[in-house]
Amino acid sequence: MRQLGSGGATYQFKKHDLYPRPVWGRLAIVLGLTILYAASFVLLINVGPIGAALVAIPVAVAGWYFGMRAGLIASVLGAALSGLLLAGFGGRDSLAWAAMALPGILTAVIAGYLGGRLHDELAERTRILDELQSRDRYLTLVTMTLRDILTPKNIDDRYDYLITHLVNLFVADYAFLVRWDAVQEQATPIASTMPLEKPVASLSLGRAELEMTAAALRAGHVQFLEDLPEPRAEIHPTLFGYLAHSPRSVLCIPLITKKQKWGAAIIAYAAPHHFSAKEMNEAEFAADHFALALWTIQQESEIQKQIKVANTLANIERALGETEKIGIQTVLQLIADSAMELIPGTRNAVLHLLESDRQILVPRAVAGPPGEFRAQLNMHPGEGVAGEVVATGRVVAISDTATEPRFLNLARPVDFRSLIVAPIQRNERCVGTISIQSDQPNAFLPDDSQLLDALGIEAAIAIENATLLEATRQDLREINALYHISRQLAASLDPDRLMQDMVDLLKQDFGYYHVQIYVVDPESGDLLARRGSGEIGDRLFERGYRLPAGAGIVGHVAETEQPFITNDVDQVVFFVRNTIFPETQSELTVPIKIEEEVVGVLDILQVLPGRLTQRDMRLMTTVADQLAVALQQARLYTELQTSLTQEKAVRSQLIQSERLAVVGRLLASVSHELNNPLQAIQNALFLLKDEQTLSSQGRQDLDIVLSETERMSILLERLQTVYRPTRTEDFQDIELNHIVESVIALTTTHMRHNKINLEFFPDPDLPPVPAISDQIRQVVLNLFVNAVEAMQSGGKLSIQTRSVPEEGLILLSISDTGPGIDPRVLPRIFEPFITNKETGTGLGLAISQDIIRQHGGIISAENNPKGGATFKVWLPVRRKN
């Protein structure tokens, strides 16, 4: 009885045996019966000659035990024995006894024949029954094997089930299942019944095993090796090298169906084993059925795989239609995940894309165990397998990196054994690769290469769609940006507002890290941070942040007047990193020109994963040109406003001059008309003064009247002098300090009464100026009097003279500590009849301004920050013609 194990269950098959006793035991029984017959013959002879027929008993038993031939021989020997015994005990009547015993002897012969015949019939039936049981056992094991591999509890164990059943089926010691690669003519172990320290797929077949497997597949019949010598170097299979003892017999069963060579089962025996024709037939039968089952499994797997591939491709196609919603990165990750899911044995799936500016392959989607793939390993076209695929545009499949020449001399060995790399081609140009890796050699089939190539096509479509979508979005963003800029250009003439709106728009619509506009300082040449995006831009503007001329990429662009772009600022020798933007990786800088003159710079900063392209440069160049137009328009508008302001001021001055001229002519005419009656009054008063009859009181009153009329006459003469046309000969070199001192002496008493403290800081090196002394004195006196009247309750009057040789001027500054000038009056303080005094006429400052202008000078008024007002008079050192 033999016990066969499969999956923990034990199956017993009992062999039928007609003779449970050993052969020698059966012979002893026959001999015992014969001896008993011979010993009891004396007694039997008394019975009569018929007693000799009892010899049929041992004869029949011999026939029963040893078959019909043995029964016939036993019957002959029994007859001879009976004859000898009759002759020995019958005497001279023995012949008569023999004749009488002949029927009994014939009965013994017949008994021997019948016993042997019965034995042979029963033996044949037993043999047939044993064969039927053996066949039933064989078919049961085959059925169980087919059931376990067709409907396994665990799909991953179906090959283990198959090889275990084969060991039970052929009562072997151990076995391997190998898969055949018809393209490379290699066999790879995929299952084993031996306990191994390493995965079975990592083992390799030896030369003898490979040749035996190839021969079996080539012939299409079972191959075997019997009673191998131990040991033999030329037949020491690599697989069995892991055993303590080498196999002595090997059976190789090819698994072929419909001319498809699936693989083979290698069955080994530790002891020498002779393979019978029956075993060979059973092996052939098993090979056909198991190959058919494996073919069915493969077809079912292919169908399921095709369904799964179709569903996956449908999902990818659906995702391609939703790229706008889910994004290109999601689609690429879906393709990488699909590659890993659809191709069995895949450990990692990686999708690389080619960055055109750096010409480097960068991983964009990775599927597999987290942390195993080193994403920093970028590749250049032409380098490595992925680089080769990019350069050639063809799929590359490597079954085993351990034997691949491209991987033998690497500085750092790879951590995978199988590899397939397919191109991602767009417009007949390879833009990336999709690759899969496996820990096991020969892990991938030719169909896997085709499937990966199809996924590469899907990735190319996704990239094409994303590129078109991004191009459309970029076009819309560019059109939107240019439209807003043009609209703001037409709607706003404020350059600061325009620049702020522009940087905010660029950052919002294009996702830039930071946008900054620098303007050139015309005096120092430094680049001032004018407007920038976000809070950082506001802080830079408030702090007055500036870059020295020529510093960094911004300074370089300002000097060269050419745009500049880089996606790796650390590789730019003249790049200066700003601590405010430590993460900057890319920078795009464009000059802003007005009439071929660089007036500013538009600076774009970007961080990873964002990148700047030549399209960004073209757009920013257009934006910079629009900004230049806007700034030029704003500049022209400012100049126009300045011109209008100047024109208004000139017009105002002309009006004021005309008013002063009218007032002057009126005063000159009035003073002339008043002068005649005044002269008559003075003459009459002088005549009255000579009268002797006047009282002393009357004489005193008359002196007062004469004094006042004299003063009136002088005033009229002064008015005529002021408003008559000045002549060159009227101008004499005067000392302004002397004029000021004379006016101080004239007003000292008045200021002391009003509790005014006076400070005078004369410039000792003050040069003389050409002027009309009386007119300048009148101006100084008028300014003194106005200051004293402004400080009603005391204060301080500060006078200072200073030479300004670089401009050819001298400066007279008069400051008071009064309440200052009403801001509403200040812009028109020098206009006639404009005053903030209750009793003033508003002509004093107008006349003073007219006098200073006639001297080629300037007079101004301003309020002091701490209170009071300051009047400044500039007079030229040389007379202006």
Side-chain angles (χ1 to χ4, degrees):
M1 183 172 62
R2 296 172 179 170
Q3 293 184 351
L4 305 174
S6 175
T10 301
Y11 307 97
Q12 297 183 353
F13 298 93
K14 185 176 180 180
K15 181 178 179 181
H16 292 272
D17 198 340
L18 294 175
Y19 314 107
R21 300 175 184 275
V23 175
W24 294 110
R26 296 195 297 269
L27 286 175
I29 293 174
V30 174
L31 289 175
L33 291 174
T34 303
I35 292 171
L36 179 62
Y37 168 72
S40 60
F41 189 77
V42 176
L43 298 175
L44 294 175
I45 199 171
N46 295 326
V47 178
I50 196 62
L54 294 178
V55 73
I57 294 174
V59 170
V61 171
W64 175 259
Y65 278 155
F66 299 104
M68 186 172 62
R69 181 180 298 179
L72 293 175
I73 294 174
S75 64
V76 173
L77 292 177
L81 177 62
S82 296
L84 291 176
L85 291 174
L86 286 173
F89 292 98
R92 38 183 188 184
D93 294 330
S94 58
L95 293 174
W97 282 96
M100 293 176 63
L102 183 60
I105 294 174
L106 292 175
T107 301
V109 172
I110 293 172
Y113 172 79
L114 293 176
R117 180 74 179 182
L118 182 61
H119 168 275
D120 290 346
E121 291 292 338
L122 290 176
E124 180 65 18
R125 293 185 64 182
T126 301
R127 184 187 64 79
I128 294 174
L129 181 60
D130 287 342
E131 287 184 357
L132 290 176
Q133 288 184 343
S134 176
R135 188 69 174 175
D136 181 65
R137 165 190 170 275
Y138 174 78
L139 293 177
T140 299
L141 286 176
V142 170
T143 303
M144 291 170 56
T145 304
L146 293 175
R147 182 196 64 197
D148 287 346
I149 63 177
L150 290 174
T151 58
K153 295 179 180 179
N154 187 353
I155 295 178
D156 296 335
D157 294 336
R158 65 181 5 143
Y159 297 136
D160 293 327
Y161 293 152
L162 173 60
I163 203 67
T164 301
H165 285 304
L166 284 174
V167 170
N168 292 333
L169 188 63
F170 293 99
V171 197
D173 294 297
Y174 32 81
F176 284 91
L177 187 65
V178 297
R179 185 69 185 268
W180 179 255
D181 186 347
V183 177
Q184 300 185 5
E185 294 190 353
Q186 290 184 352
T188 304
I190 60 175
S192 170
T193 59
M194 295 192 313
L196 301 173
E197 296 180 355
K198 58 175 64 178
V200 65
S202 63
L203 305 180
S204 59
L205 272 69
R207 181 174 58 85
E209 297 163 286
L210 184 60
E211 291 178 355
M212 187 177 185
T213 302
L217 292 172
R218 204 165 35 245
H221 299 293
V222 176
Q223 302 289 316
F224 63 90
L225 295 173
E226 291 182 339
D227 197 12
L228 295 173
E230 184 180 1
R232 282 183 58 185
E234 64 272 15
I235 304 179
H236 188 258
T238 304
L239 290 176
F240 303 120
Y242 294 94
L243 298 174
H245 302 284
S246 298
R248 300 299 301 277
S249 299
V250 178
L251 179 66
C252 183
I253 302 176
L255 302 172
I256 304 173
T257 180
K258 294 186 178 181
K259 297 182 180 181
Q260 181 181 6
K261 299 177 180 180
W262 189 92
I266 301 176
I267 302 171
Y269 298 83
H273 182 84
H274 174 70
F275 298 102
S276 64
K278 177 185 176 183
E279 287 179 317
M280 299 299 290
N281 290 333
E282 290 179 349
E284 295 285 354
F285 179 83
D288 293 339
H289 282 76
F290 295 158
L292 182 60
L294 292 174
W295 181 82
T296 303
I297 293 171
Q298 183 174 348
Q299 293 302 310
E300 180 183 357
S301 177
E302 288 294 331
I303 293 173
Q304 294 297 326
K305 184 177 180 180
Q306 292 297 328
I307 294 175
K308 192 174 183 180
V309 169
N311 291 335
T312 302
L313 293 179
N315 292 335
I316 294 175
E317 291 290 343
R318 185 163 52 252
L320 291 177
E322 299 176 355
T323 304
E324 181 180 359
K325 297 180 181 179
I326 64 178
I328 178 62
Q329 184 60 40
T330 303
V331 178
L332 296 180
Q333 188 61 50
L334 174 61
I335 294 174
D337 293 339
S338 300
M340 185 170 180
E341 180 182 358
L342 294 177
I343 303 177
T346 301
R347 186 191 72 181
N348 290 110
V350 187
L351 197 149
H352 286 85
L353 292 184
L354 181 66
E355 291 188 357
S356 57
D357 52 347
R358 292 195 298 170
Q359 286 298 303
I360 192 171
L361 285 168
V362 178
R364 291 289 303 275
V366 179
E372 287 194 6
F373 181 75
R374 296 188 294 272
Q376 67 272 19
L377 295 181
N378 299 329
M379 293 167 287
H380 294 274
E383 297 180 0
V385 178
E388 178 185 341
V389 171
V390 171
T392 62
R394 294 191 296 270
V395 179
V396 173
I398 296 175
S399 59
D400 192 353
T401 57
T403 59
E404 174 63 33
R406 283 175 283 196
F407 292 90
L408 294 180
N409 299 320
L410 296 179
R412 181 166 56 181
V414 296
D415 56 354
F416 54 87
R417 295 290 297 275
S418 300
L419 174 69
I420 301 179
V421 184
I424 300 174
Q425 301 189 74
R426 173 172 166 260
N427 297 330
E428 299 183 355
R429 183 174 64 90
C430 189
V431 296
T433 63
I434 180 171
S435 59
I436 55 175
Q437 303 170 357
S438 177
D439 295 327
Q440 308 301 326
N442 306 301
F444 304 124
L445 302 175
D447 292 343
D448 297 334
S449 298
Q450 298 177 4
L451 176 57
L452 194 65
D453 192 24
L455 291 176
I457 295 174
E458 296 296 333
I461 296 174
I463 295 171
E464 180 73 20
N465 290 348
T467 302
L468 293 175
L469 178 61
E470 183 60 27
T472 302
R473 288 178 172 174
Q474 183 75 4
D475 290 340
L476 291 176
R477 286 195 296 264
E478 292 178 4
I479 294 172
N480 180 65
L482 295 177
Y483 168 74
H484 280 82
I485 292 172
S486 300
R487 188 177 66 178
Q488 292 172 2
L489 178 63
S492 175
L493 293 173
D494 182 358
D496 283 336
R497 180 62 181 173
L498 182 62
M499 287 188 286
Q500 187 63 57
D501 291 342
M502 183 178 295
V503 296
D504 291 341
L505 178 67
L506 294 178
K507 178 177 175 62
Q508 177 182 353
D509 284 6
F510 297 94
Y512 296 136
Y513 176 50
H514 184 71
V515 183
Q516 187 71 47
I517 296 177
Y518 295 88
V519 296
V520 178
D521 185 351
E523 296 182 359
S524 63
D526 292 348
L527 293 159
L528 303 177
R530 187 71 172 270
R531 290 296 176 183
S533 59
E535 296 181 359
I536 296 179
D538 295 338
R539 290 202 303 268
L540 292 177
F541 177 70
E542 293 171 358
R543 287 166 45 190
Y545 178 79
R546 65 173 58 208
L547 289 173
I553 295 178
V554 173
H556 171 78
V557 169
E559 285 187 346
T560 61
E561 302 183 5
Q562 297 296 325
F564 183 86
I565 183 174
T566 179
N567 281 307
D568 191 354
V569 293
D570 293 328
Q571 299 299 321
V572 179
V573 294
F574 48 83
F575 171 72
V576 178
R577 186 170 292 279
N578 192 332
T579 56
I580 302 176
F581 309 108
E583 300 176 358
T584 299
Q585 181 66 28
S586 305
E587 186 166 2
L588 166 60
T589 309
V590 180
I592 302 172
K593 297 181 182 180
I594 296 179
E595 298 178 354
E596 301 303 323
E597 177 187 359
V598 176
V599 297
V601 171
L602 174 61
D603 189 43
I604 308 295
L605 303 180
Q606 187 61 290
V607 296
L608 292 175
R611 303 187 65 79
L612 300 173
T613 64
Q614 292 296 324
R615 181 165 184 166
D616 291 316
M617 176 178 283
R618 291 191 294 270
L619 174 62
M620 293 307 110
T621 301
T622 303
V623 171
D625 293 340
Q626 291 285 340
L627 182 58
V629 172
L631 293 177
Q632 185 176 23
Q633 181 174 339
R635 176 186 290 183
L636 293 175
Y637 176 76
T638 303
E639 292 177 354
L640 178 61
Q641 291 295 322
T642 303
S643 299
L644 291 175
T645 302
Q646 292 176 351
E647 180 183 356
K648 184 177 180 180
V650 170
R651 187 185 303 113
S652 177
Q653 291 176 359
L654 291 175
I655 294 173
Q656 182 178 0
S657 298
E658 184 64 27
R659 287 178 179 176
L660 290 175
V662 171
V663 171
R665 289 193 296 271
L666 177 60
L667 290 176
S669 176
V670 170
S671 63
H672 178 72
E673 294 298 329
L674 290 176
N675 190 51
N676 291 331
L678 184 60
Q679 290 292 331
I681 293 171
Q682 283 182 325
N683 291 334
L685 290 175
F686 278 117
L687 292 176
L688 288 174
K689 187 176 180 182
D690 292 337
E691 291 291 334
Q692 297 298 324
T693 60
L694 288 175
S695 64
S696 59
Q697 182 62 42
R699 193 171 296 276
Q700 290 178 356
D701 294 337
L702 184 59
D703 289 337
I704 293 172
V705 173
L706 285 172
S707 175
E708 292 300 322
T709 55
E710 181 66 23
R711 194 163 68 88
M712 186 178 296
S713 178
I714 295 172
L715 177 59
L716 292 175
E717 182 180 1
R718 185 177 299 172
L719 285 174
Q720 291 176 353
T721 302
V722 169
Y723 287 101
R724 76 166 175 257
T726 58
R727 297 170 296 179
T728 304
E729 55 271 17
D730 295 334
F731 287 83
Q732 302 294 329
D733 288 342
I734 65 170
E735 295 289 341
L736 183 59
N737 288 338
H738 294 166
I739 297 293
V740 174
E741 290 172 351
S742 65
V743 174
I744 291 174
L746 181 63
T747 59
T748 297
T749 303
H750 181 65
M751 286 188 286
R752 186 170 56 250
H753 289 165
N754 288 276
K755 299 179 182 180
I756 304 298
N757 294 325
L758 185 140
E759 296 177 345
F760 179 39
F761 304 97
D763 185 351
D765 299 325
L766 197 67
V769 294
I772 300 175
S773 177
D774 290 341
Q775 291 184 357
I776 298 301
R777 183 178 290 106
Q778 181 181 351
V779 171
V780 174
L781 178 60
N782 189 22
L783 295 177
F784 274 33
V785 171
N786 286 343
V788 171
E789 290 178 351
M791 297 180 289
Q792 298 178 358
S793 60
K796 181 171 66 174
L797 181 64
S798 298
I799 304 98
Q800 180 183 10
T801 58
R802 181 168 60 88
S803 175
V804 189
E806 62 271 14
E807 298 183 9
L809 299 172
I810 62 172
L811 171 64
L812 170 63
S813 176
I814 302 173
S815 300
D816 62 65
T817 58
I821 306 171
D822 188 342
R824 294 173 297 178
V825 176
L826 182 59
R828 305 173 57 197
I829 192 66
F830 292 104
E831 294 183 10
F833 310 113
I834 300 298
T835 181
N836 61 348
K837 295 187 295 183
E838 295 181 357
T839 59
T841 61
L843 291 175
L845 289 177
I847 294 173
S848 298
Q849 185 185 50
D850 188 61
I851 292 173
I852 296 302
R853 285 181 177 175
Q854 290 181 9
H855 283 74
I858 300 173
I859 184 172
S860 67
E862 61 185 22
N863 286 321
N864 301 327
K866 296 183 179 180
T870 298
F871 285 84
K872 296 180 180 180
V873 177
W874 286 271
L875 292 173
V877 175
R878 294 180 179 82
R879 172 69 176 168
K880 294 182 180 180
N881 295 326

